[in-house]
């Protein structure tokens, strides 16, 4: 078994009286693409946001490359956050900055890279997502799929050890989804460790190493795609897949 790059142990999250996560245990091995599926409100996105403490866990531990990000100073947390890239459903690009400006800003502010180094890294990552030719464009001049690919390039430019994708295609028109999924598939082939929350079941079947089904704040079942989609063990998994297949 490969060494886990991300390990979630006993993760709980409460919002007041409402418990959203109920003791999640999950390992993502180095170079693995793990896909998380489940109904809306099952806690999938909350779990992702806890993995870099955008949401503060109520209990449990998060280990990145065997280091527990629940302990240590704010400075330690900020350093560890750089190792956990995040791609949101809403792109979160700065509208007043060019594509190049968006991809270099965090490099310069958080990593202290000089302009030339940051721009060279940005061009390398933009080339990887097929957008080097749009480096001088403004976000408003791009399609939604292009904006999401810029957001992926921005996350990759920080050299993270794992990248979290929270519904990366849900804000896109259907014809633009394929361009983003193609980039994610290429990243998997390059060995990037990824934890993905998405409703793109076809992509999960094709590209995931492992699929995790969550419901009501717990991991109900996990396994290779052929098992989860072809012969799910839990009744809740079967019921969910029957609904989304309609």
């Amino acid at each position: 078994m490969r060494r886990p790059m991300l390990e979630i142990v006993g993760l709980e999250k409460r919002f007041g009286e409402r418990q959203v996560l109920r003791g999640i245990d999950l390992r993502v091995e180095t170079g693995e693409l793990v896909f998380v599926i489940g109904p809306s409100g099952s806690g999938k996105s909350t779990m992702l946001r806890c993995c870099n403490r955008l949401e503060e866990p109520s209990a449990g531990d998060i280990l990145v490359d065997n280091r527990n990000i629940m302990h240590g100073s704010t400075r330690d947390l900020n350093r560890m956050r750089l190792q956990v890239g995040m791609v949101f459903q809403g792109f979160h690009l700065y509208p007043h900055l060019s594509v190049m400006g968006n991809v270099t800003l965090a490099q310069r502010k958080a990593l202290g890279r000089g302009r030339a180094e940051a721009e060279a890294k940005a061009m390398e990552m933009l080339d990887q997502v097929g957008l080097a030719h749009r480096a001088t464009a403004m976000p408003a001049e791009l399609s939604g799929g292009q904006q999401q690919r810029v957001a992926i390039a921005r996350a990759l430019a920080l050299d993270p050890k794992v990248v979290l994708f929270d519904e990366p295609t849900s804000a896109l028109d259907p014809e633009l989804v394929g361009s983003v999924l193609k980039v994610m598939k290429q990243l998997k082939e390059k060995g990037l460790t990824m934890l993905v929350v998405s409703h793109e079941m076809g992509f999960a079947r094709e590209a995931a190493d492992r699929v995790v089904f969550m419901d009501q704040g717990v991991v109900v079942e996990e396994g290779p795609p052929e098992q989860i989609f072809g012969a799910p063990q839990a009744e809740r998994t079967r019921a969910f897949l029957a609904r989304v297949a309609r």
Side-chain angles (χ1 to χ4, degrees), residues 10 27 32 39 43 47 50 67-68 79 83 85 93-94 110 119 136 138 147 175 183 197 201 206 244:
R27 292 163 57 104
E32 191 177 28
M47 178 186 71
C50 285
R67 291 187 59 190
N68 196 332
R79 194 179 305 121
Q83 300 177 3
L93 300 181
Y94 291 104
E119 289 187 350
T136 59
M138 302 301 284
Q147 289 186 58
E175 67 269 23
V183 166
V197 166
M201 300 297 167
E206 178 189 351
V244 298

Side-chain angles (χ1 to χ4, degrees), residues 211-214 219-223 227-228 231-234 237-238:
V211 176
V212 175
F213 173 65
M214 280 182 65
V219 171
V220 176
E221 184 173 358
E222 61 178 287
Q227 176 197 313
I228 297 299
Q233 304 297 301
T237 314
R238 289 195 291 271

Side-chain angles (χ1 to χ4, degrees), residues 8-13 21-26 58-61:
I8 301 167
V9 183
L11 180 63
E12 297 183 10
K13 177 62 182 177
L21 300 176
R22 306 169 183 272
I24 299 286
D25 293 316
L26 182 64
S58 303
D61 292 297

Side-chain angles (χ1 to χ4, degrees), residues 158-176:
L158 297 175
D159 297 319
K161 293 183 174 179
V162 58
V163 178
L164 313 173
F165 291 83
D166 187 11
E167 300 281 9
T169 60
S170 67
L172 301 180
D173 292 333
E175 67 269 23
L176 301 176

